[in-house]
Amino acid sequence: MAERFLVSVDLKNLQASAENGFDLKTISYLNKVHCAVTPDTYEDALAFLKKYFNYFLIHCDCTELEKLDDIVSLLNNGAQKAFVAYWQLKAIVEERLLIGQDLSRLVVSFDRSVCEGDPEARAKSIASKIEAFVGDVAVGVQIPDVYDWKLLDAMKQTSKELPFRYVTLAYNTRDHYIKAVNDGHVAIIPASELTTDPKKYPHMLPAHLLITTGLTSDRSDKLFPTVVTDEHDICLGLVYSDEESIGTAIRKGCGAYHSRKRGKLWIKGEESGDCQELISIRADCDADTLQIAVRQHGTGFCHLKSSTCFGPYSGLARLEKMLLSRKEFPPEGSYTARLFSEPKLVKAKIMEEASELCEATEQLDIAAEAADVIYFTLAKCVTAGVTIEDIEHNLDLKSFKITRRPGHAKQKWADQVGLRDLTNGAMQTGSGKLNGESIKEAASTPKAKEDSAGVINARIQMSRYNTVGTDDHTIKDALQRPSQRSTDKIMDIVNPIVKEIREGGDAAVLKYTHKFEKATAITSPVLKAPFPKALMELPPETIEAIDVSFENIRRFHAAQKEQKPLQVETMPGVVCSRFSRPIECVGVYVPGGTAVLPSTALMLGVPAMVAGCKKIVIASPPRKDGTITPEIVYVAHKVGAESIVLAGGAQAIAAMAYGTESISKVDKILGPGNQFVTAGKMIVSNDTTAGVSIDMPAGPSELLVIADRTANPAFVASDLLSQAEHGTDSQVVLIAVDLSEDQLAAIEDELHAQASTLPRRDIVRGAIEHSVTLVVKDIGEAMSYSNQYAPEHLILQVESPESVMNLVENAGSVFIGPWAPESVGDYSAGINHSLPTYGYAKQYSGVNLSSFTKHITSSNLTIEGLRNVSGAVMQLAKVEELEAHRRAVSIRLEHIDGK
């Protein structure tokens, strides 16, 4: 299909009709439209796409959009192409929002100032800039408001990767348009400059010229061969067109052609009644043949009263017409007629035939069963007024999607066929596991009340399983941890960010802070101590709360200090010792996002201070105005932080790992964060050139409560919700020890009542969607499941909880009894809340004083000691064939013996 024009429409002024007779219906005949999308008209553009996707090939000018995700959303919703600025192209490629051939749906727009200078040199420069990002993928180029297109002509000659060249004309005249098209460019013409009545509006561009300009004919009569198709692109017949017939078709919205037999205009159906409703007119790739799509009414297109000149319809088109006929004129006792009046029968038949299709294995059987599924499905569609055209357009829309879905089956269908592996691979190894634990996709935040996330029977409620009578696979699946994106996808996003920070320093950090935090006012990526008092202005009660928490955390971590070095004489004259030293420079990451977290700054900053780290660097994403929340600045002041890095995400991690002109390089990075932060920490810790270590892998928050008959239902519910409100990817688990139905219902009633009043209830619902209650028979079984799960937080609301502590094998932190809610650990009790998640409590400890120190060992030998140990050393060196090792001992012995 030749693309020679786009009709530009105003999203804020989509009139049903226009004075020049050029309304949206008329524009649809030309098929191709262009619209400028701004932040103010973005929602209008989405609505336009959803309403008119079936009627237009829609091109969106996105050069004024700030959010790249908005561009992706427009493409996902059916935009044929997106016009983007060069900086947007660069960011889209770097962030891998579009990859491969999906990039061909972009048109790169340049300001007309690029036309200055030698056209050939400028063309080569522009082509080189674009090809550096897209390779050999063919993308378009646009230059707006030009008086000539010498630069575009030069591009045509110099780069085959820029086949589509778009131009917005400064003067929308007939001559300018014709010249642009004849030169091989795509002209963008405002709808307000077009008309279907050139006699009445001689100053406007006749609409039919958009079709006929550039068309060629090798016939002596200069007619254009025209293939007439129906709405399914089925060929009805071959006719001929000229300028008059094309103009008439567009003006009247009908099938109008040139009759060679009569030598004049022929409007199909004027005499026979078999009229046609115009859908669109398009030229082929060589611009020597037309396709006119119509909806055929009456007995058919052919003069022999057949649907087409090549015989009757077949396949789906024939089936649809038969069903429509039987719906309108149902034969008495017809089985098909019943399908239009008995929806339960249709539902049963679709399910029956779909089941038989699933079981079929032979080619003939699969074809037959698929035909049955299609037959009954189309019967349902005809009943509802849905056409094959509607279905085809929905299929087309699916093909436009550039954001890939994980492709999982819904749980109830997966269970029916025994499909167990429903993981999406997020933060996993090649086996689909993370640390031996299964993971599943996190629920999104519910967008509306009718969203079913976290809701069972109109109540906010966790799924419930009784381990008695439930197989191990089901329980294991229920305890899968949620996640959001695959490791590969996250790493593909984070690796370029880390590389750019390492190479670009301050400028790169600022770029990402401006982009992700929208804090465009800041000019330095770091805030150095001493911090201005104006940045720490807080209510007295907040200051008091921070001070109390600070002192408790300090006291608990100070008690962890080693009083003196360890010293052991392993044999006479051989003294081994171990002593600790603080890590010199540590980086503390404090997340931003959906909650302000000064508690994290306390939990990491205070132990670093107690350990004696010489330099503490805190990183936290700034607010849009470029400031850090005063609570975090106050904590940074109290712990003696050297600086605060004004950045979040992987870019903050990379900045601390490698250092920049302004940001100090650190030796270890600690702190929680989202999957991008975690990926950044993993990348820099595996880079030997960075020379930095990390605390532990981190993931979404999680909590497990073990409750027996003595537990207070309100306490249990409040503990579960305190962790569920962290984020939709959080998970909470209740293990109920031999509770009755009434006792379980009391907890569920409390959870629903409390959750319904929370400000973050939509986030809670997202977390509850993949949270679970397990009903077990005794405390032994409860602790077995808890140790397998290895929770970040474990709460024991059971009788004699202190005695149960002996059964705890794997947990980040334990909260004992009814008066120890997890919240006290998060803030003020004194223990640290930076804990292992995702089951890593099986291998890792939570953050403690030793996280900020390193141990150094020493050996001190006397002559006697060397003699005593020398035999063993030299023999093992001989076994390992490391002669220099053996000689380091033997030479000393020879010296002692005076040899």
Side-chain angles (χ1 to χ4, degrees), residues 647-874:
Q651 56 272 22
I653 300 300
M656 293 190 290
Y658 299 102
T660 70
E661 304 94 307
S662 303
I663 299 169
S664 297
K665 184 199 177 316
V666 303
D667 301 311
K668 185 173 185 178
I669 298 173
L670 305 95
N674 61 20
Q675 294 171 88
F676 299 100
V677 171
T678 298
K681 289 167 70 175
M682 300 296 283
I683 290 168
V684 299
S685 67
N686 288 325
D687 181 1
T688 56
T689 67
V692 69
S693 68
I694 62 172
D695 47 357
M696 69 188 96
S701 298
E702 57 192 43
L703 174 143
L704 188 149
V705 178
I706 298 177
D708 65 9
R709 294 169 183 268
T710 66
N712 184 316
F715 292 1
V716 174
S718 66
D719 285 337
L720 294 168
L721 293 172
S722 71
Q723 210 62 210
E725 73 173 351
H726 268 294
T728 57
D729 52 0
S730 298
Q731 184 179 46
V732 294
V733 177
L734 168 62
I735 299 183
V737 182
D738 194 29
L739 296 191
S740 68
E741 180 60 35
D742 287 346
Q743 290 165 330
L744 287 166
I747 294 174
E748 290 171 349
D749 289 345
E750 279 288 342
L751 187 138
H752 173 70
Q754 292 182 33
S756 298
T757 63
L758 291 174
R760 295 162 68 89
R761 58 184 168 274
D762 288 341
I763 290 175
V764 166
R765 286 173 54 198
I768 293 298
E769 175 69 14
H770 39 249
S771 297
V772 63
T773 296
L774 296 186
V775 182
V776 300
K777 60 183 182 295
D778 55 39
I779 192 67
E781 185 182 9
M783 291 308 304
S784 175
Y785 278 117
S786 176
N787 287 325
Q788 289 175 38
Y789 185 78
E792 178 189 16
H793 305 95
L794 170 62
I795 295 182
L796 299 176
Q797 292 204 37
V798 296
E799 188 175 5
S800 303
E802 293 83 0
S803 63
V804 178
M805 283 294 293
N806 294 328
L807 301 177
V808 176
E809 298 289 342
N810 303 313
S813 189
V814 185
F815 299 84
I816 305 168
W819 313 117
E822 185 273 333
S823 308
V824 301
D826 270 353
Y827 296 113
S828 306
I831 62 172
N832 208 290
H833 79 198
S834 293
L835 304 167
T837 59
Y838 269 127
Y840 276 110
K842 292 178 181 177
Q843 299 95 2
Y844 286 84
S845 304
V847 168
N848 53 69
L849 191 68
S850 65
S851 303
F852 299 88
T853 63
K854 54 187 182 287
H855 284 97
I856 303 170
T857 59
S858 67
S859 302
N860 191 351
L861 278 69
T862 63
I863 291 175
E864 179 191 11
L866 181 60
R867 286 188 183 279
N868 288 338
V869 79
S870 61
V873 174
M874 289 191 293

Side-chain angles (χ1 to χ4, degrees), residues 287-299:
D288 59 7
T289 302
L290 291 176
Q291 177 196 7
I292 296 184
V294 299
R295 287 188 181 84
Q296 178 68 56
H297 300 286
T299 57

Side-chain angles (χ1 to χ4, degrees), residues 104-336:
S104 65
R105 292 173 63 188
L106 298 180
V107 177
V108 188
S109 181
F110 291 91
D111 186 86
R112 72 179 184 186
S113 62
V114 299
C115 297
E116 298 172 1
D118 176 60
E120 185 173 343
R122 298 297 296 149
K124 288 181 179 179
S125 173
I126 290 172
S128 176
K129 288 176 68 174
I130 294 175
E131 289 166 16
F133 286 100
V134 303
D136 59 359
V137 177
V139 300
V141 174
Q142 181 206 19
I143 302 177
D145 303 324
V146 296
Y147 298 90
D148 64 62
W149 33 87
K150 292 178 182 178
L151 176 59
L152 293 176
D153 289 340
M155 288 182 184
K156 179 179 178 182
Q157 302 300 322
T158 59
S159 179
K160 64 180 181 181
E161 270 69 52
L162 304 175
F164 301 107
R165 298 165 301 280
Y166 299 79
V167 56
T168 307
L169 303 177
Y171 301 117
N172 295 297
T173 65
R174 179 192 297 247
D175 290 343
H176 270 71
Y177 171 71
I178 291 174
K179 182 167 180 8
V181 171
N182 286 338
D183 286 350
H185 310 308
V186 182
I188 303 174
I189 312 293
S192 58
E193 299 286 338
L194 296 169
T195 184
T196 56
D197 191 350
K199 291 182 179 179
K200 185 175 180 180
Y201 303 100
H203 60 288
M204 292 184 174
L205 186 67
H208 69 269
L209 285 182
L210 301 185
I211 302 293
T212 59
T213 300
L215 278 181
T216 60
S217 175
D218 57 5
R219 294 173 55 86
S220 59
D221 57 12
K222 300 303 179 185
L223 296 176
F224 306 118
T226 302
V227 177
V228 183
T229 65
D230 70 0
E231 60 269 35
H232 311 303
D233 275 348
I234 295 173
C235 181
L236 302 179
L238 177 67
V239 297
Y240 293 87
S241 302
D242 60 9
E243 281 202 24
E244 181 188 14
S245 66
I246 294 169
T248 302
I250 294 172
R251 186 172 67 256
K252 293 190 173 184
C254 65
Y257 316 100
H258 181 87
S259 171
R260 291 177 299 159
K261 181 177 180 180
R262 302 174 185 175
K264 64 177 184 178
L265 180 69
W266 162 43
I267 297 178
K268 173 65 177 172
E270 262 192 336
E271 297 177 2
S272 67
D274 297 330
C275 58
Q276 295 176 337
E277 180 185 345
L278 181 64
I279 297 175
S280 66
I281 304 178
R282 295 183 287 186
D284 74 340
C285 58
D286 293 324
D288 59 7
T289 302
L290 291 176
Q291 177 196 7
I292 296 184
V294 299
R295 287 188 181 84
Q296 178 68 56
H297 300 286
T299 57
F301 179 77
C302 183
H303 68 286
L304 298 178
K305 303 302 181 183
S306 173
S307 299
T308 81
C309 289
F310 307 101
Y313 279 123
S314 62
L316 290 176
R318 183 170 186 166
L319 175 61
E320 182 182 41
K321 290 192 176 296
M322 182 274 288
L323 289 170
L324 287 167
S325 174
R326 293 193 179 177
K327 181 184 178 185
E328 188 175 0
F329 307 106
E332 188 175 349
S334 165
Y335 172 56
T336 303

